[in-house]
Amino acid sequence: MTVADVGRKAPRRPRPAPGAGRRSPLRVLGMVVVLGFTAFNLLVLYWLIAASFKTPVEIFTKPFALPVRWFQLGKPLRNFAYAWDQAGFGDAFLTTVVLVAASSAAIVLVSAPAAYALTRLGVRGSGPLTNLIAVGMGVPFQTVIIPLFIGLSTVHLTDSLFGLFLVYVALSIPFTVFLLTGFFRSLSDEMEEAAAIDGASPLRTFFAVMLPLARGGLITALILNAIGLWNETLLAIVFLQSQAHFTLARALFTFYGAAEYQSEYGGLIAGVTILVLPMLVLYLVLARRIITGLTLGSGK
């Protein structure tokens, strides 16, 4: 140890972040709020699944008890069979899967090149364009339903799955472009510069270099759009009238009136469960990938 080392002061320890202490009131309050919100959602989920196996009497008299009656009669899936047959969920399920898959893929295919051009190609006016897209995210789609309906009526695309597909893609592009710009900004410049030195065109660089690097962001955008479109109801109600074109959410909306009139509350809740569970399972399976993708996009 030298004389200089002896006289040197030890580095000052960094100050802890606000609320980082073990017994910080803010930290305790935050934990209480998060745990309370989680417990409430788990309770609602339990009630939904349990009620989907109950008779209407059990739903109202024993809302949080385990289902008994249909199991005693040997018909535990009676409510699900009723909802599936009466609401036409079979065709609606297939329609929803195809429509959501096609729409989500088309949204990402359109948004990825747009986000890449805005962030990596030095396009003139890319900053104002990005801000304009961000403003588009804040416009409630309810305010443009009437103009959209009039426009689709003009080209005879109302009550058409293709027309609804176009609406889904158009309304989801601002959010997806804004999301993917964060991913493309966070990517390293070295790979892109190496591709340019090798003589690769911007188009080849995008497909061969940048898209594989942004795979996490693309998957995240695809999953988030799929979850949002699967649960979408209002646009399907406005633009679809024929039962042959119904999505799951649209079929459930129609089924609601008939089930309520017949007091088939168990079948109605089973229909809600059929709609909710696929996306819930998808999110639980891919939650880590979604969170990882979102955090990667905030690198810069």
Side-chain angles (χ1 to χ4, degrees):
M1 180 180 296
T2 64
V3 176
D5 292 333
V6 174
R8 183 180 301 168
K9 294 183 179 180
R12 187 178 61 180
R13 297 179 61 183
R15 300 178 63 181
R22 290 184 177 182
R23 299 183 181 276
S24 169
L26 185 61
R27 184 182 180 88
V28 173
L29 178 61
M31 289 297 296
V32 170
V33 172
V34 171
L35 291 176
F37 183 75
T38 302
F40 174 76
N41 281 276
L42 290 176
L43 181 63
V44 172
L45 180 62
Y46 162 76
W47 177 86
L48 177 69
I49 296 176
S52 63
F53 292 94
K54 294 180 179 180
T55 63
V57 175
E58 288 180 305
I59 292 174
F60 290 102
T61 59
K62 301 176 181 179
F64 296 105
L66 292 174
V68 176
R69 183 59 178 168
W70 288 127
F71 286 87
Q72 290 177 342
L73 297 176
K75 302 177 180 179
L77 299 179
R78 184 265 178 193
N79 290 334
F80 289 92
Y82 178 86
W84 190 270
D85 295 336
Q86 298 298 319
F89 277 176
D91 295 335
F93 187 88
L94 179 60
T95 299
T96 305
V97 169
V98 174
L99 179 62
V100 169
S103 300
S104 302
I107 292 166
V108 174
L109 287 175
V110 173
S111 301
Y116 176 72
L118 290 173
T119 55
R120 314 292 297 197
L121 296 183
V123 177
R124 180 178 298 179
S126 59
L129 283 175
T130 305
N131 295 332
L132 183 62
I133 291 173
V135 170
M137 293 171 52
V139 178
F141 70 88
Q142 293 87 347
T143 61
V144 298
I145 285 182
I146 294 178
L148 282 174
F149 186 85
I150 295 174
L152 290 181
S153 298
T154 304
V155 294
H156 308 288
L157 284 179
T158 55
D159 194 24
S160 166
L161 291 176
F162 181 69
L164 187 60
F165 163 81
L166 294 178
V167 173
Y168 280 171
V169 173
L171 295 180
S172 302
I173 283 178
F175 163 75
T176 310
V177 171
F178 185 79
L179 177 67
L180 292 179
T181 53
F183 290 102
F184 284 111
R185 283 197 186 100
S186 66
L187 298 179
S188 175
D189 297 332
E190 284 77 8
M191 298 293 291
E192 193 174 16
E193 293 172 355
I197 293 174
D198 291 339
S201 65
L203 187 63
R204 183 178 178 184
T205 302
F206 171 67
F207 282 105
V209 178
M210 305 307 289
L211 275 187
L213 293 177
R215 181 177 57 183
L218 299 177
I219 294 175
T220 300
L222 188 70
I223 295 172
L224 292 178
N225 278 293
I227 293 175
L229 295 179
W230 182 276
N231 297 318
E232 197 286 316
T233 306
L234 181 59
L235 294 174
I237 292 174
V238 172
F239 291 100
L240 299 179
Q241 289 82 42
S242 301
Q243 188 171 357
H245 298 155
F246 281 0
T247 61
L248 268 178
R250 180 67 174 89
L252 180 63
F253 179 80
T254 303
F255 178 58
Y256 170 78
E260 187 179 31
Y261 178 77
Q262 299 174 3
S263 299
E264 280 288 349
Y265 297 105
L268 179 60
I269 296 175
V272 175
T273 305
I274 293 173
L275 176 64
V276 170
L277 278 186
M279 289 300 105
L280 178 62
V281 172
L282 178 66
Y283 180 79
L284 292 177
V285 172
L286 301 176
R288 183 179 297 275
R289 179 177 289 275
I290 294 174
I291 296 172
T292 302
L294 289 174
T295 54
L296 284 175
S298 60
K300 288 188 179 181

